């Protein structure tokens, strides 16, 4: 398994080395607006722990971290007014998944219809 890189950009954001537009934070997560939004609301939710991907998080995070993460997602979508019309959560993973930042993050996209789930190739 790949080793967690503590120099990844989200680790730097967690350490306060790079500014972010925080929308929610607690003991388990930090959530902030994506720097390049793909929808009217585009938030990234990241655990404070050093997990590379969703499968790393699911396999190695504590029950409290996992519960805290998804409780935070529920709070954020309510706070952002997304529960009425819905939203999409995406966790790009690895090279085939198009993951750019190797710290687990869940995208929350909403505020308007998000469009097709994937664009088929070929
Ligand atoms: P991935 O492709 O890894 O699923 O998504 C990474 C996301 O992080 C992208 O949507 C990108 O716009 C966002 N991102 C990259 N660097 C920064 C940054 O410094 N600040 C914020 N707020 N978002 C970033």
């Amino acid at each position: 398994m790949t080793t967690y890189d503590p120099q990844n950009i989200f680790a730097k954001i967690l350490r306060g080395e790079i500014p972010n537009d925080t929308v929610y934070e607690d003991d388990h997560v930090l959530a902030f607006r994506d720097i390049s939004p793909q929808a009217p609301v585009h938030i990234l939710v990241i655990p404070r722990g050093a997990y590379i991907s969703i499968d790393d998080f699911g396999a190695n995070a504590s029950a409290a971290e996992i519960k805290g993460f998804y409780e935070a997602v529920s709070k954020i979508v309510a706070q952002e007014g997304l529960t009425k019309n819905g939203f999409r959560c995406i966790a790009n993973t690895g090279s085939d998944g198009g993951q750019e930042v190797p710290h687990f993050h869940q995208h929350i996209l909403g505020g308007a219809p998000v469009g097709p789930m994937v664009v088929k190739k070929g």
Side-chain angles (χ1 to χ4, degrees), residues 2-84:
T2 312
T3 305
Y4 181 82
D5 173 12
Q7 295 309 316
N8 78 74
I9 198 135
F10 293 169
K12 292 180 179 179
I13 285 176
L14 280 169
R15 292 195 295 268
E17 295 167 13
I18 294 175
N20 73 91
D21 186 359
T22 299
V23 298
Y24 177 86
E25 61 181 322
D26 63 22
D27 289 348
H28 293 293
V29 311
L30 177 66
F32 51 91
R33 297 196 190 280
D34 196 291
I35 203 167
S36 178
Q38 304 298 307
V41 178
H42 187 172
I43 292 165
L44 300 169
V45 187
I46 68 175
R48 292 197 183 274
Y51 301 103
I52 296 170
S53 60
I54 191 170
D55 51 311
D56 181 20
F57 185 67
N60 297 310
S62 69
E65 287 175 297
I66 294 169
K67 184 169 186 283
F69 186 88
Y70 288 102
E71 283 179 344
V73 169
S74 294
K75 289 177 186 171
I76 293 160
V77 296
Q79 174 186 302
E80 295 294 318
L82 299 179
T83 53
K84 180 167 182 277

